[in-house]
Amino acid sequence: MSTDTAPAKQEFRNYETGALVAAVREHYRKMRSRQTYDYVQRMKAKYLTFDRPMHLWDAMVELNKLVDVSDPDMDLPNVQHLLQSAEAMREQGCPDWMQLVGLIHDLGKVMYLWGSDEDGTSEAEQWGLVGDVFVVGAALPDTCVYPEFNALNPDMSDPRYNTELGVYEPGCGLDNLHLAWGHDEYLYQVLRHHQPNRIPEAGMVMIRYHSFYPWHNEGSYSQFLCEKDAQYMEWVKEFNRYDLYTKSTKIYDLDEMKGYYMPIVEKYLGSGVIGF
Ligand code: FE
Ligand code: FE
């Protein structure tokens, strides 16, 4: 689907109205009150083990069973959003590696298969899996969606974490921050540990930061940015056009798409069996 046939921009990410809004709001209340600095360190230690080999296409099939509760625009299985993003990139002539990134950018959500309600990484409790992320270990900006929930975060009454810099150095760069735990960082780390990985740096950055809306959409966190983060911003903004405005009601058949995408998977990721 080309951008000129897409619905107007303001029809997306509308958090004020619509049938899904109560569930989305509740998701963000939990996410903001439970994603602390300590929680993120625990989740990294727990989930970044890379010892669950699964073929990328099997992971896609598993995402066909998951609906993202944080997304006010989507009540389709998540894999449809992946196919829509990739197909829009293909139609617009984006390079094959970017089509691959479109196809897999949300694949970290397969964490729900071995996740738990307690961690917010299950189908029922998704507050550690999906949603716009923010920096943990520093003051929450009021550019976060539903900023009224910021005060519920226990770190915001902890003097180690509730200042503009928190635990970080000025200009330390995005790569040195800890973001709220979820599917972006999970897939980034999984792919970083995968051999071979020939996805260009731009693609890896798109995967890692696509949910970091307070930064790429709102311009917050300038106190932490370093020189190369300006390039990161360009990459993520380019990606975001397809992540957001391709959301549509068009349904693709996963099996039918396999013939086109599997050779690209193999070109950049070898056999496609990934250690999650
Ligand atoms: Fe995502
Ligand atoms: Fe997405």
Side-chain angles (χ1 to χ4, degrees):
M1 190 166 104
S2 66
T3 43
D4 55 357
T5 59
K9 186 172 178 164
Q10 59 270 23
E11 289 178 30
F12 293 110
R13 293 178 64 79
N14 183 341
Y15 292 97
E16 302 304 322
T17 57
L20 295 171
V21 78
V24 173
R25 193 178 153 83
E26 179 58 6
H27 168 83
Y28 277 105
R29 188 192 62 77
K30 289 178 182 169
M31 185 178 184
R32 206 68 47 75
S33 29
R34 298 175 190 179
Q35 288 248 7
T36 61
Y37 185 81
D38 176 67
Y39 163 85
V40 169
Q41 310 313 313
R42 282 190 293 112
M43 294 305 106
K44 286 182 174 178
K46 182 170 179 177
Y47 289 97
L48 297 179
T49 52
F50 318 116
D51 56 357
R52 302 173 190 91
M54 184 170 20
H55 196 279
L56 191 143
W57 210 266
D58 295 331
M60 296 285 289
V61 172
E62 293 298 339
L63 274 203
N64 215 352
K65 302 167 191 165
L66 183 73
V67 174
D68 180 336
V69 294
S70 76
D71 190 339
D73 307 320
M74 261 295 195
D75 51 10
L76 290 173
N78 208 246
V79 79
Q80 291 300 328
H81 162 61
L82 293 179
L83 293 167
Q84 288 169 9
S85 304
E87 284 292 283
M89 289 171 180
R90 178 182 174 187
E91 214 171 275
Q92 298 288 310
C94 295
D96 61 353
W97 61 263
M98 191 164 160
Q99 297 172 32
L100 174 63
V101 165
L103 185 76
I104 66 174
H105 74 276
D106 281 338
L107 214 55
K109 293 177 188 175
V110 292
M111 198 188 340
Y112 89 93
L113 293 175
W114 41 86
S116 72
D117 292 353
E118 195 194 346
D119 292 342
T121 53
S122 66
E123 189 167 12
E125 296 286 345
Q126 299 184 13
W127 52 268
L129 191 65
V130 300
D132 298 1
V133 297
F134 46 86
V135 176
V136 293
L140 287 160
D142 57 15
T143 53
C144 290
V145 60
Y146 301 118
E148 63 270 31
F149 295 143
N150 287 357
L152 302 177
N153 190 296
D155 287 354
M156 292 309 99
S157 44
D158 187 323
R160 290 174 297 171
Y161 305 131
N162 65 4
T163 62
E164 185 171 285
L165 288 174
V167 299
Y168 307 103
E169 297 295 322
C172 62
L174 287 189
D175 291 345
N176 290 305
L177 298 171
H178 294 281
L179 303 185
W181 178 246
H183 66 282
D184 296 35
E185 180 70 7
Y186 183 51
L187 183 64
Y188 170 79
Q189 293 294 347
V190 160
L191 292 176
R192 206 168 70 90
H193 285 78
H194 175 75
Q195 291 285 350
N197 178 358
R198 305 184 188 98
I199 297 172
E201 186 190 7
M204 293 298 285
V205 166
M206 290 169 181
I207 288 168
R208 193 176 198 182
Y209 297 111
H210 74 269
S211 300
F212 194 16
Y213 278 83
W215 163 67
H216 72 67
N217 204 44
E218 304 293 337
S220 293
Y221 296 117
S222 56
Q223 70 272 32
F224 299 130
L225 302 183
C226 67
E227 225 179 288
K228 72 173 174 181
D229 293 338
Q231 175 67 76
Y232 281 22
M233 178 71 96
E234 277 180 39
W235 287 333
V236 173
K237 278 189 176 296
E238 173 65 11
F239 173 82
N240 187 247
R241 297 169 46 202
Y242 299 96
D243 193 12
L244 199 51
Y245 305 129
T246 56
K247 288 170 182 173
S248 74
T249 49
K250 177 156 184 190
I251 305 288
Y252 293 94
D253 186 293
L254 190 55
D255 272 345
E256 276 175 26
M257 308 310 286
K258 200 171 176 176
Y260 175 75
Y261 286 104
M262 266 317 291
I264 306 178
V265 169
E266 283 162 7
K267 178 176 170 187
Y268 290 97
L269 296 169
S271 69
V273 177
I274 315 260
F276 282 95

